[in-house]
Amino acid sequence: MLISRDEWEDAFNGIYRGGVEFGMPMKNHTSLAIGGPADVLVSPEDPMSLKNIVLMCRRKNVPFLPLGGGSNILVRDSGIDGVVINFKAFRMIQVIREEGDDVELFVEAGVPLQMLVNFCRDKGYAGIEGLTGIPGTVGGAICGNAGSYGCEIKDVILSAVIMSADGRLDRFAAGDLQFGYRRSAVKPTDVVLNANIRLHKDDTNAVAGRTREFMAEKKNTQPISERSAGCVFKNVEGVSAGKLIDEAGCKGMKAGGIEVSSVHANFFVNKGGGTASDYLHLMHKVVLMVGRKFGVVLEPEIKVIGRG
Ligand SMILES: Cc1cc2nc3c(=O)[nH]c(=O)nc-3n(C[C@H](O)[C@H](O)[C@H](O)COP(=O)(O)OP(=O)(O)OC[C@H]3O[C@@H](n4cnc5c(N)ncnc54)[C@H](O)[C@@H]3O)c2cc1C
């Protein structure tokens, strides 16, 4: 444990507004329902409290982790050292400009991505229908350039405001965020606060129709009602990692409570009682089998976090 309740209270008394929980099991905050306790989980209510946390963590040499929806991370069973920051108070969506067909929105990092997709569907704003069905928050989506069906969040980002570890706020244009396949220039010590995104006005029924079609496709091809963290591994030079895993004969393989999904082989699902060590064990087995069959090394898409 890097920060105790007493140390927290000494350091943050009077400079922080928001929720604080000590020893909160991260399994309550991840889509896999896996993960040991975080020393401290905070839910700052305003940007100043958030800044004070970041600055105090730096001063005391305590690590912090910005947490979105927990839908792309595997938290180890031993938990997380330091401070986990929850963005549930940062959920504003605002229309900044609507001129002709052009639309610009201001979106805070804690907005659930599906709240944004639904907002755009209801208003007839086109451009992010392909992100339908991706869980998590706008902050998490920017960090990993979330995408599907040929659409990535980078396609609509104009700029993002990021706080660095020294508390400085900078607005970065999309071009400076170096988006790539499931990656961006956002560093683990950066905090994404908000973004401006550009969409275009379309017929509301047309946007709603595309959103519905993408959702139906997701339901057919992904185990979306089960506990997972989405794709475990990145595709290899355009070849689907799921196809490689399937053809290496891994579908249905298990380690403890974790199973390679029979619906989509690149999803590992927690069938109940699965642990991070089961998950890592299964990853290892799958990497070996795919390596043996195809001579390629699968790279994780999920982020493994926590005390090693
Ligand atoms: C059923 C299912 C389907 C999925 N389908 C897809 C898909 O089609 N395409 C796809 O790309 N992904 C998919 N995913 C994976 C996941 O939903 C996305 O990667 C999502 O964008 C992660 O967002 P999150 O808020 O949950 O991030 P988290 O998992 O909470 O965090 C991911 C990383 O982002 C960082 N982060 C989060 N918020 C911030 C912030 N405000 N500032 C700085 N850093 C931050 C975290 O520190 C962490 O390093 C799927 C997952 C599931 C469970």
Side-chain angles (χ1 to χ4, degrees):
M1 182 180 286
L2 287 184
I3 182 160
S4 65
R5 183 186 288 258
D6 287 348
E7 283 166 323
W8 170 273
E9 278 162 7
D10 281 351
F12 290 91
N13 196 13
I15 62 163
Y16 170 79
R17 277 181 359 121
V20 188
E21 287 158 297
F22 298 90
M24 165 62 73
M26 289 303 294
K27 67 177 181 189
N28 298 348
H29 290 271
T30 58
S31 56
L32 268 169
I34 287 178
D39 287 352
V40 190
L41 173 72
V42 296
S43 309
E45 273 176 14
D46 51 67
M48 189 47 82
S49 296
L50 176 62
K51 181 174 174 176
N52 287 340
I53 289 169
V54 168
L55 289 178
M56 193 58 82
C57 284
R58 183 179 159 101
R59 204 167 305 147
K60 293 194 157 289
N61 218 8
V62 170
F64 66 84
L65 173 83
L67 176 74
S71 66
N72 197 32
I73 55 173
L74 174 69
V75 178
R76 291 181 199 271
D77 302 314
S78 46
I80 300 183
D81 273 333
V83 177
V84 174
I85 306 173
N86 182 313
F87 290 84
K88 66 183 181 192
F90 297 85
R91 288 195 172 178
M92 189 199 287
I93 304 178
Q94 227 171 22
V95 180
I96 300 178
R97 196 169 59 85
E98 210 185 301
E99 264 171 39
D101 286 347
D102 281 344
V103 180
E104 191 173 333
L105 303 185
F106 165 87
V107 192
E108 286 192 307
V111 169
L113 191 59
Q114 291 316 294
M115 183 173 146
L116 178 63
V117 168
N118 293 342
F119 178 89
C120 294
R121 177 200 59 198
D122 296 345
K123 295 264 191 186
Y125 297 159
I128 55 164
E129 299 91 306
L131 305 183
T132 303
I134 303 180
T137 59
V138 166
I142 291 173
C143 224
N145 186 24
S148 58
Y149 303 119
C151 168
E152 292 174 311
I153 192 120
K154 78 168 173 52
D155 303 335
V156 296
I157 297 286
L158 285 170
S159 64
V161 173
I162 295 179
M163 185 185 292
S164 45
D166 58 5
R168 209 185 62 227
L169 284 181
D170 287 299
R171 178 177 295 280
F172 292 89
D176 296 327
L177 292 170
Q178 297 169 33
F179 287 115
Y181 169 53
R182 301 296 169 267
R183 66 179 166 75
S184 72
V186 178
K187 299 194 283 290
T189 51
D190 286 340
V191 178
V192 179
L193 286 185
N194 56 62
N196 283 16
I197 67 174
R198 182 172 38 208
L199 303 155
H200 60 273
K201 194 96 178 77
D202 195 356
D203 174 63
T204 309
N205 289 331
V207 179
R210 287 193 292 273
T211 306
R212 236 186 349 262
E213 276 166 29
F214 285 129
M215 197 61 222
E217 178 68 14
K218 283 247 144 125
K219 282 187 178 154
N220 278 335
T221 54
Q222 295 182 357
I224 55 170
S225 58
E226 294 194 82
R227 295 187 190 121
S228 81
C231 288
V232 184
F233 298 104
K234 293 186 178 183
N235 294 335
V236 186
E237 288 164 16
V239 180
S240 144
K243 189 165 182 292
L244 297 174
I245 298 168
D246 188 1
E247 288 176 6
C250 302
K251 255 190 183 168
M253 234 162 65
K254 289 187 183 129
I258 307 295
E259 187 176 303
V260 177
S261 166
S262 50
V263 180
H264 188 314
N266 201 14
F267 280 58
F268 291 4
V269 292
N270 184 356
K271 302 300 274 187
T275 62
S277 85
D278 294 338
Y279 196 98
L280 290 167
H281 187 53
L282 194 57
M283 280 175 79
H284 185 64
K285 288 208 294 197
V286 166
V287 167
L288 282 181
M289 285 180 64
V290 169
R292 247 183 241 135
K293 171 108 184 175
F294 298 105
V296 296
V297 181
L298 291 174
E299 298 275 342
E301 180 171 324
I302 57 152
K303 295 184 177 64
V304 180
I305 287 167
R307 301 178 240 256

